[in-house]
Structures are given as structure tokens and as C-alpha cells.
Amino acid sequence: MESPRTPQDWNLTPTEAVALQKRLREQLILQPPPGLKVTRLGGADISTEKGNDTGYGGMVVLDAATLQPVARAMAAVPLSFPYVPGLLSFRELPVLEAVWARLTVRPDVLVFDGQGTAHPRRFGIACHGGLLFDLPSIGCAKSLLVGTPGKLAERRGATAPITHKGEVVGMAVRTRQGVSPVYVSPGHRMDLETAVEWVLKASPRYREPETTRHAHRLVNDFRRAGGESAELEEERPG
């Protein structure tokens, strides 16, 4: 499988990155593995700050039944790709790739704080990351990149398809009554129905799933500490 697995493979121009997205898009599998059993859910995020060219990345693995953390890993990596809408994966995945290498407890499904197929080329960071790490993945974003959602009821669990150019690319999902929805789309080895199911399971109390909440807190703390824990391979909360 064509995959940017070595550092030099990330050395692309935005034009080359778009071309790679279009090629890799053909490798996506938009259905879960037969008999998918999810006992561990992962969340991935990175934190950056103005004037600092370092990305502070982290992943947290939760017990799927209790949503309690069972493992986490962090890495601080120089950012080499500019911020370009639609090309987030080329900026953030080199950081998360270093985190993944340090994570010895692997999740069954990985949730990204970004888009899956709800993307101009149907290849957001959740798609790219799922292919790179070769596992089922979900995009759960706080804002839309493309598309228009249908009318969404106020109750928790309400859903409305996100349509772009006549194609359903994701789902607006109300995870908390009266609160703005999140925007869910499959990444790799995932379908929309299963993605929505797991985002709702992972969001019992707040707008964002616990995977994202834990990962976000981890990377912000890591950044504020100056990446001092970067050499930790993994830390398992007690």
C-alpha cells in the first residue's frame, strides 16, 4: 500500500499532497471489519502555539465500556507542513505517527478530532490516519469543512445527513440536548452508521466524545510542560 511511512515521504508541496490524497482515497475501505469487536477506543489530538514550530501530539486509549483511560503516549515533533485547509493530515500526522510508535496498548477504533470523508476530496485526517495506522477510524469534528446538514432535532441522539455535491459525506450528531452538534464521518475500515454509534457511546455527558476530551487535555498539558515528557514511551494511568 502506498503510504507515507518514512520521514522523507512527508516532504511534499501542497500540490503534491492533494495528488497523494486523491491516490490514497482509492484505498479506503468504508465498512468495518466483519465482526468488529471494540474493547478499546482511542483518541488522537495535537496542540500547537503561535510562534512555536513544534507539534505536541498525544493519544489516549479508553476502555470502551467504562470510558476510563488505560494508556496514553505523547511526542513532540517539529511541524514542517504549513496550515492549509483540507491538508491537515500532512501537518499533524507526522506528529501522531511518532505518538503511535510509542503507544503499546493499541485501540480497536481511533477517533480523530477532524474530518473523515466529510472533506473536499473525501480524504480527511481520519481517513489518512486510518490508512497509515491500519485500523478502523472515525472523524469527529466541531465544525464543517464541506457540505450542508439537514434539519436536526434538539434531542440527544438526533442525526441529520451532511450532503456535499449530492453525496452524503457524514452526519451531524447531537450528543447533548440543545448543544451544537458534532460532525461525524467514517475514516477507514468504518461506515457512517457505526461511526455515529461509537461517537454517541463515547459522549455520555458532553458535546465532544471522551476520546477527544482526554486527548485534548493531554496534549495541552504536554505543550504547557514544554514537551518534557516526550521521551516517555507510554504512561498507564493508575
Side-chain angles (χ1 to χ4, degrees):
M1 180 178 74
E2 181 180 7
S3 178
R5 287 192 179 276
T6 57
Q8 63 265 31
D9 289 324
W10 293 111
N11 186 23
L12 301 171
T13 67
T15 300
E16 291 168 337
V18 168
L20 180 59
Q21 282 184 330
K22 291 177 179 178
R23 294 198 300 274
L24 292 178
R25 167 67 182 84
E26 300 306 312
Q27 299 178 21
L28 289 181
I29 300 171
L30 295 179
Q31 58 185 25
L36 174 65
K37 183 179 179 182
V38 181
T39 59
R40 295 186 298 270
L41 276 175
D45 199 7
I46 83 161
S47 181
T48 61
E49 60 188 352
K50 200 169 184 178
N52 184 345
D53 64 356
T54 300
Y56 300 89
M59 292 184 183
V60 176
V61 180
L62 309 183
D63 179 285
T66 66
L67 299 179
Q68 293 302 306
V70 296
R72 64 183 184 177
M74 302 86 79
V77 176
L79 297 168
S80 58
F81 196 88
Y83 175 76
V84 180
L87 296 177
L88 182 67
S89 64
F90 294 92
R91 183 171 173 84
E92 296 196 353
L93 279 182
V95 182
L96 294 176
E97 187 176 33
V99 178
W100 181 257
R102 293 174 170 159
L103 188 69
T104 57
V105 177
R106 296 290 170 83
D108 301 302
V109 172
L110 186 58
V111 181
F112 287 84
D113 182 21
Q115 312 293 344
T117 55
H119 179 276
R121 289 168 293 281
R122 310 297 185 256
F123 197 77
I125 189 170
C127 301
H128 203 162
L131 269 177
L132 182 66
F133 304 136
D134 190 27
L135 86 166
S137 57
I138 296 169
C140 182
K142 295 182 287 292
S143 59
L144 284 168
L145 186 59
V146 297
T148 305
K151 186 174 175 59
L152 186 65
E154 290 294 318
R155 62 175 175 80
R156 169 180 155 76
T159 60
I162 302 166
T163 305
H164 181 242
K165 295 184 176 178
E167 179 183 359
V168 174
V169 296
M171 195 77 75
V173 180
R174 187 90 67 191
T175 52
R176 193 176 179 196
Q177 183 169 337
V179 172
S180 297
V182 292
Y183 303 100
V184 178
S185 54
H188 176 53
R189 294 170 64 187
M190 181 60 56
D191 60 15
L192 184 54
E193 180 182 1
T194 307
V196 169
E197 174 189 347
W198 277 106
V199 166
L200 281 169
K201 283 181 178 178
S203 311
R205 295 181 61 195
Y206 300 100
R207 180 191 180 202
E208 292 184 291
E210 290 300 300
T211 45
T212 301
R213 284 168 46 77
H214 280 280
H216 186 69
R217 188 180 307 120
L218 174 67
V219 296
N220 281 333
D221 289 346
F222 183 43
R223 174 181 54 78
R224 283 191 287 265
E228 290 182 3
S229 303
E231 299 307 314
L232 282 177
E233 288 189 359
E234 182 181 8
E235 179 180 341
R236 299 190 192 186

